């Protein structure tokens, strides 16, 4: 068992809550004590906001000794009233996996009609029901979802784990460190301060594309990353050693959401023989990518994440669920990116803010797990809390592909089938009820991009040239740059490395294969490599001043690109690997060449970036790229070759070949069969196993990073980044000036 600090399950009256908040308030000097006044009806609610800090107090202070509580103001929580449905799950070959709270044992016909995403909330409420934090009434509200989901009913939810990235994760670790200090100062056992649920922190937001189009780009960018972030990395490395129940994945390992998908996700937990569904909240909006694996997950703020880390339930409105039916099959030449941009536009139009979206229908059998994860990833862009895909046979195949053991997969399937959380399309389906419905025939999806300023402004590829010229004409806005007619054909002359060059409106200056949305999908990554191969064989080149980059979401991508023999073609076009983490998509695109930057600024050019990302708001990708288009990785390569977004791929050549012949888009675009063949032969389970067996071993720079020993952090007063928080500095065992 992992050590953790303990607290009694005590229900506080409003008077008691007010007094305890008064103690906590003592930590917030120099505010005057009298300024902390609470309306008598609100103190318990405010107490919940300070629970993470209150738990430290409860760990070291005898509340009865402080005369804060008496027996009249305490009600102890009861045991779980649903213990009677605790059921043993048998292994197919004999023996047992463990015990679980059985939804079928409730014998309530309403459960069969619930969306699968709501069943996960229901199981969590049943398992955690103690009539204090989670009550039987909460369980009934979830079971009665058809009625209660329209009434803004609040429910508690306890996620199974928490995932953090390095930027937003640092404050969480800082708070844990200062709680340890306070525990130590008050004479308690500081080693009891640990997360109460598993916490994974992936360092992925720090790498920047300073160096591109170079075989040494990964090493050079990582060296700069460590120089800039040495203090932060050392702090996180200390945290990885000091705290139990916390895994820190070193920089250079991949993007948090892809690592979560390929390695961290459990799908079903087995905690000391108790089985339950995996669920996760994360301090990054695209935590929703894990919904593609059938794991309920979404992004939250830091306070919510810390509360979950400390075992507290999240209060959430029981959401409506939009049922999104998929039918048919994507036509030849279409990608998951084309599909997700189409889905994003449809859902933004429908209105799904604060809701779950659950995908169903026979079309799901035509989508790989990676395709599903691509759609789930962009939940923030279409506005939903989740874009959920229930577990089915495709999920199980992916788990095996990514190196999960046969026993683990057997446990997952057995549990989810037994608890009515598994979809088997070979069996008759009970009709589920949704709040509203949408439907898309996959055959209706067409090649597209989104932009130039918003991810849901989808543009069919065949209309791209006309749309671009309309954007130049339109007044300044989401679809306009207000470039005068007489200036639209302007040419900016500049010199690049001693060679004369020209820049026009719409010319591409950044082309990046980046972002968790697409780099986890072998089909589009290998599709991009096949485009590069065909282009190289035909003699096409990318202009040298275009900043091209490839930032895989995990080391697995590099392994299958090398296995396929296609990485050299990407390198030839300038798409060298620049690092493993979030890069251009979050604005870590680095500088473009000084000559290009000057030409853009001096001539007021509307330059373009094309990236396989999920967000393209003006100013996010690069200060000098006013037009930013989201596209599939193969299209990123195609636009880099064309050198402009001002092109009609159907009628205009993308460039000239070795013999001067015109090369068109159709000449370099691979078929679905070509892509499937390369995926089948190049993406292997051993790649995932070998990559993630070594993931916590780090790299030489991480391993050489010196960290202070011990379980208490040595705060540096001279630091401009990490300071000891003031919350507990003046806390004593005998608080001064306690209000009566």
């Amino acid at each position: 068992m992992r050590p953790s600090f303990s607290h009694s399950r005590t229900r506080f009256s409003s008077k008691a809550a007010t007094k305890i908040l008064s103690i906590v308030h003592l930590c917030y000097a120099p505010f005057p004590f009298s300024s902390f006044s609470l309306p008598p009806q609100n103190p318990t609610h405010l107490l919940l906001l300070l629970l993470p800090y209150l738990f430290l107090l409860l760990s070291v202070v005898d509340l009865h000794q402080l005369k804060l509580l008496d027996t009249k103001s305490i009600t102890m929580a009861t045991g779980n009233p649903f213990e009677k449905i605790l059921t043993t799950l048998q292994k197919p070959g004999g023996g047992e996996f463990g015990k679980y709270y059985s939804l079928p044992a409730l014998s309530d016909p309403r459960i069969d009609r619930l969306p699968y995403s709501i069943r996960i909330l229901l199981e969590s409420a049943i398992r955690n029901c103690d009539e204090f934090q989670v009550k039987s009434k909460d369980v009934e509200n979830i079971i009665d979802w058809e009625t209660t989901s329209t009434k803004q009913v609040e429910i508690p939810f306890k996620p199974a784990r928490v995932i953090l990235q390095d930027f937003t994760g640092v404050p969480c670790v800082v708070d844990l460190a200062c709680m340890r200090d306070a525990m130590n100062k008050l004479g308690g056992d500081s080693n009891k301060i640990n997360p109460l649920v598993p916490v994974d922190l992936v360092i992925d937001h720090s790498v920047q594309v300073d160096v591109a189009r170079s075989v040494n780009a990964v090493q050079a960018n990582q060296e700069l990353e460590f120089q800039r972030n040495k203090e932060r990395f050392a702090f996180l490395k200390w945290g990885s050693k000091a705290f139990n129940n916390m895994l820190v994945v070193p920089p250079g390992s991949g993007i948090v959401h892809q690592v979560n998908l390929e390695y961290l996700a459990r799908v079903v937990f087995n905690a000391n023989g108790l089985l339950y569904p995996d669920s996760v909240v994360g301090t990054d909006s695209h935590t929703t990518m894990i919904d593609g694996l059938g794991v309920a997950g979404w992004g939250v703020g830091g306070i919510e994440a810390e509360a979950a880390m400390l075992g507290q339930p999240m209060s959430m409105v029981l959401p409506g669920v939009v049922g999104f039916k998929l039918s048919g099959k994507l036509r030849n030449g279409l990608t998951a990116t084309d599909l997700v941009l189409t889905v994003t536009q449809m859902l933004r139009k429908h209105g799904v803010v604060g809701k779950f979206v659950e995908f169903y229908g026979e079309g799901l059998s035509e989508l790989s797990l990676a395709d599903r994860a691509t759609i789930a990833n962009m939940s923030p862009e279409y506005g939903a809390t989740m874009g959920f895909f229930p577990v089915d046979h495709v999920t199980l195949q992916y788990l095996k592909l990514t190196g999960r053991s046969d026993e683990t997969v057997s446990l997952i399937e057995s549990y989810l089938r037994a608890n009515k959380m598994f979809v088997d399309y070979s069996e008759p389906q009970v009709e589920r009820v949704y709040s509203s419905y949408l439907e898309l025939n996959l055959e209706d999806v067409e090649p597209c991009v989104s932009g130039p300023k918003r991810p849901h402004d989808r543009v069919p590829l065949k209309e791209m040239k006309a749309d671009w010229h309309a954007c130049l004409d339109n007044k300044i806005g989401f679809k306009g740059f207000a470039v005068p007619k007489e200036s639209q054909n302007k040419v900016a002359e500049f010199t690049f490395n001693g060679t004369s060059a020209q820049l026009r409106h719409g010319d591409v200056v950044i082309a990046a294969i980046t972002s968790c949305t697409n780099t986890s999908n072998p089909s589009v990554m290998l599709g991009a490599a096949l485009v590069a191969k065909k282009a190289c064989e035909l003699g096409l080149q990318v202009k040298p001043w275009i900043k091209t980059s490839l930032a895989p979401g995990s080391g697995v991508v590099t392994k299958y690109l090398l296995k396929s023999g296609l990485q050299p073609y990407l390198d030839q076009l300038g798409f060298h690997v620049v690092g493993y983490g979030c890069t251009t998509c979050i604005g870590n695109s680095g500088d473009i060449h000084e000559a290009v930057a000057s030409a853009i600024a001096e001539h007021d050019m509307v330059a373009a970036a094309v990236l396989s990302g999920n967000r393209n708001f003006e100013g996010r990708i690069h200060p000098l790229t006013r037009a930013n288009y989201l596209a599939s990785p193969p299209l990123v390569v195609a636009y880099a070759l064309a050198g402009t977004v001002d092109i009609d791929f159907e009628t205009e050549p993308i460039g000239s070949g070795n013999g001067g012949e015109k090369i068109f888009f159709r000449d370099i675009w691979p078929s679905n069969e070509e892509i499937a063949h390369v995926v089948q032969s190049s993406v292997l389970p051993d790649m995932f196993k070998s990559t993630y067996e070594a993931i916590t071993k780090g790299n030489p720079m991480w391993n050489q990073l010196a960290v202070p020993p011990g379980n208490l952090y040595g705060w540096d007063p001279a630091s401009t980044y990490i300071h000891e928080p003031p919350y507990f500095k003046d806390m004593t065992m005998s608080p001064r000036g306690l209000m009566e």
Side-chain angles (χ1 to χ4, degrees):
M1 291 289 291
R2 293 179 292 268
S4 61
F5 69 89
S6 60
H7 59 280
S8 60
R9 288 178 173 173
T10 305
R11 182 176 300 155
F12 302 98
S13 68
S14 293
K15 182 179 179 181
T18 303
K19 291 185 176 182
I20 295 170
L21 282 168
S22 300
I23 294 179
V24 176
H25 179 63
L26 290 177
C27 304
Y28 287 86
F31 296 105
F33 191 75
S34 60
S35 69
F36 196 74
S37 59
L38 297 171
Q41 67 271 24
N42 287 331
T44 304
H45 172 72
L46 292 178
L47 176 61
L48 294 174
L49 299 178
L50 293 170
L51 273 174
Y53 305 113
L54 176 61
F55 290 155
L56 174 68
L57 184 148
L58 293 176
S59 301
V60 298
V61 177
D62 184 335
L63 297 177
H64 290 281
Q65 180 182 347
L66 293 178
K67 299 180 180 179
L68 288 174
L69 303 176
D70 54 38
T71 55
K72 293 181 180 179
S73 62
I74 300 177
T75 303
M76 299 306 295
T78 63
N80 193 320
F82 294 94
E83 292 290 339
K84 59 182 179 296
I85 65 168
L86 200 57
T87 306
T88 298
L89 182 65
Q90 302 293 334
K91 291 184 177 180
E96 60 182 61
F97 286 116
K99 296 185 181 298
Y100 68 101
Y101 287 91
S102 171
L103 301 187
L106 290 173
S107 300
D108 193 320
R110 292 175 296 176
I111 295 175
D112 291 334
R113 291 166 57 82
L114 290 178
Y116 286 95
S117 51
I118 298 299
R119 297 181 197 187
I120 293 176
L121 301 182
L122 174 60
E123 188 282 337
S124 175
I126 290 172
R127 174 168 37 88
N128 292 294
C129 187
D130 59 0
E131 301 297 0
F132 171 46
Q133 291 181 330
V134 184
K135 301 178 182 180
S136 297
K137 179 60 177 176
D138 299 317
V139 173
E140 171 59 24
N141 282 337
I142 299 173
I143 293 176
D144 199 31
W145 171 85
E146 284 188 58
T147 302
T148 54
S149 62
T150 62
K151 298 180 178 179
Q152 294 289 300
V153 172
E154 287 194 29
I155 61 164
F157 174 60
K158 282 191 170 186
R161 59 189 175 96
V162 175
I163 194 163
L164 313 169
Q165 42 98 327
D166 48 318
F167 276 179
T168 53
V170 166
C172 297
V173 182
V174 166
D175 283 353
L176 288 173
C178 83
M179 289 170 73
R180 278 205 169 173
D181 283 349
M183 179 77 96
N184 183 63
K185 291 174 183 176
L186 293 172
D189 183 359
S190 60
N191 290 327
K192 288 184 177 181
I193 302 291
N194 291 292
L196 290 179
V197 299
V199 175
D200 302 305
L201 189 155
V202 181
I203 302 175
D204 71 337
H205 272 53
S206 304
V207 63
Q208 182 169 298
V209 188
D210 292 287
V211 179
R213 303 189 74 142
S214 167
V215 293
N216 299 317
V218 172
Q219 180 69 19
N221 289 327
Q222 193 168 77
E223 288 176 357
L224 288 168
E225 179 186 11
F226 270 79
Q227 289 173 19
R228 293 167 178 152
N229 298 279
K230 183 178 180 180
E231 181 184 10
R232 188 156 57 91
F233 287 177
F235 174 69
L236 293 175
K237 186 176 180 180
W238 168 82
S240 70
K241 297 177 180 296
F243 294 105
N244 296 317
N245 226 9
M246 178 183 289
L247 171 69
V248 175
V249 178
S253 302
I255 301 175
V256 55
H257 310 304
Q258 186 164 343
V259 175
N260 193 17
L261 190 74
E262 296 176 349
Y263 176 63
L264 297 174
R266 283 74 156 175
V267 186
V268 172
F269 266 85
N270 185 349
N272 301 312
L274 181 62
L275 311 176
Y276 52 93
D278 188 4
S279 59
V280 61
V281 293
T283 55
D284 188 282
S285 60
H286 293 101
T287 299
T288 55
M289 187 171 188
I290 204 62
D291 302 338
L293 195 66
V295 174
W298 58 87
V300 296
I303 292 176
E304 293 173 293
E306 283 198 45
M309 287 168 60
L310 296 172
Q312 294 307 294
M314 297 168 45
S315 180
M316 60 183 289
V317 174
L318 189 60
V321 182
V322 177
F324 199 124
K325 184 177 182 179
L326 297 173
S327 60
K329 181 180 181 180
L330 289 173
R331 291 179 286 116
N332 189 42
L334 275 292
T335 68
T337 316
D338 299 318
L339 173 57
V340 72
L341 295 179
T342 302
V343 168
T344 297
Q345 185 183 48
M346 290 178 66
L347 287 169
R348 288 286 294 193
K349 183 178 180 180
H350 185 76
V352 293
V353 173
K355 299 176 182 177
F356 291 175
V357 176
E358 186 166 298
F359 294 89
Y360 69 103
E362 66 273 14
L364 288 184
S365 63
E366 300 295 335
L367 294 181
S368 69
L369 195 290
D371 292 345
R372 299 175 184 190
T374 299
I375 296 170
N377 177 277
M378 287 192 71
S379 293
E381 282 66 48
Y382 47 78
T385 303
M386 282 205 302
F388 189 74
F389 291 81
V391 175
D392 60 10
H393 286 103
V394 173
T395 317
L396 301 180
Q397 292 167 7
Y398 180 82
L399 291 170
K400 292 178 180 178
L401 171 67
T402 51
R404 273 77 166 197
S405 69
D406 290 341
E407 183 175 356
T408 297
V409 175
S410 176
L411 163 64
I412 290 168
E413 181 177 8
S414 298
Y415 169 80
L416 294 175
R417 282 185 180 276
N419 226 9
K420 293 190 175 183
M421 296 180 179
F422 186 89
V423 182
D424 190 336
Y425 291 103
S426 66
E427 299 176 353
Q429 297 294 300
V430 176
E431 183 179 354
R432 293 180 298 282
V433 176
Y434 294 107
S435 307
S436 60
Y437 297 82
L438 280 175
E439 184 170 354
L440 173 65
N441 187 331
L442 298 178
E443 295 177 4
D444 294 336
V445 177
E446 55 186 342
C448 59
V449 297
S450 279
K453 302 181 184 183
R454 297 189 300 185
H456 57 280
D457 287 334
R458 187 179 66 90
V459 184
L461 206 59
K462 62 186 179 184
E463 300 174 12
M464 181 59 186
K465 187 179 180 73
D467 190 82
W468 170 251
H469 283 277
C471 287
L472 290 179
D473 287 334
N474 293 342
K475 65 180 181 180
I476 292 176
F478 294 124
K479 294 288 289 185
F481 297 104
V483 177
K485 282 285 187 184
E486 62 272 17
S487 300
Q488 290 183 11
N489 295 319
K490 180 170 55 177
V491 177
E493 305 277 353
F494 68 100
T495 300
F496 181 83
N497 291 341
T499 303
S500 297
Q502 295 180 334
L503 202 65
R504 293 175 170 82
H505 292 302
D507 278 4
V508 175
V509 297
I510 291 176
I513 300 174
T514 179
S515 171
C516 49
T517 305
N518 286 288
T519 61
S520 62
N521 194 325
S523 294
V524 293
M525 296 300 285
L526 287 165
L530 284 170
V531 170
K533 179 177 184 292
K534 292 172 181 284
C536 290
E537 290 173 345
L538 290 169
L540 295 177
Q541 296 179 345
V542 175
K543 293 182 177 67
W545 57 83
I546 297 177
K547 188 168 188 176
T548 47
S549 61
L550 167 60
S554 82
V556 176
V557 178
T558 295
K559 289 182 178 179
Y560 64 64
L561 284 173
L562 292 173
K563 170 72 174 175
S564 68
L566 296 174
Q567 181 65 53
Y569 297 106
L570 287 166
D571 291 346
Q572 190 174 328
L573 297 183
F575 287 94
H576 297 82
V577 176
V578 296
Y580 298 89
C582 294
T583 53
T584 305
C585 188
I586 61 168
N588 287 1
S589 50
D591 293 333
I592 56 178
H593 193 277
E594 184 179 352
V596 179
S598 296
I600 295 171
E602 291 171 9
H603 297 274
D604 195 24
M605 305 303 294
V606 183
V610 182
L611 64 149
S612 61
N614 47 49
R615 288 183 182 161
N616 55 340
F617 309 117
E618 186 172 355
R620 177 184 176 94
I621 306 307
H622 191 282
L624 294 175
T625 59
R626 289 155 63 188
N628 301 281
Y629 286 93
L630 306 181
S632 67
L635 273 178
V636 171
V637 177
Y639 274 110
L641 291 163
T644 181
V645 298
D646 185 8
I647 183 172
D648 182 345
F649 278 142
E650 290 190 6
T651 61
E652 297 180 75
I654 205 168
S656 299
N658 290 318
E661 70 278 15
K662 294 180 179 179
I663 306 298
F664 288 84
F665 178 81
R666 56 183 172 270
D667 298 323
I668 62 172
W669 199 257
S671 67
N672 289 4
E673 290 73 21
E674 288 178 275
I675 295 173
H677 175 73
V678 178
V679 170
Q680 184 72 25
S681 61
S682 304
V683 184
L684 306 173
D686 285 345
M687 295 177 177
F688 294 89
K689 290 180 180 178
S690 60
T691 297
Y692 288 111
E693 282 173 355
I695 195 166
T696 57
K697 295 180 182 177
N699 53 63
M701 281 181 273
W702 175 261
N703 296 336
Q704 293 168 14
L705 197 61
V707 298
N711 291 332
L712 297 176
Y713 186 68
W715 306 98
D716 181 3
S719 172
T720 58
Y721 187 77
I722 298 174
H723 280 280
E724 181 181 6
Y727 315 134
F728 305 120
K729 279 187 176 181
D730 298 322
M731 179 179 280
T732 64
M733 292 295 289
S734 301
R736 303 181 305 275
L738 186 63
M739 288 192 306
E740 291 297 335

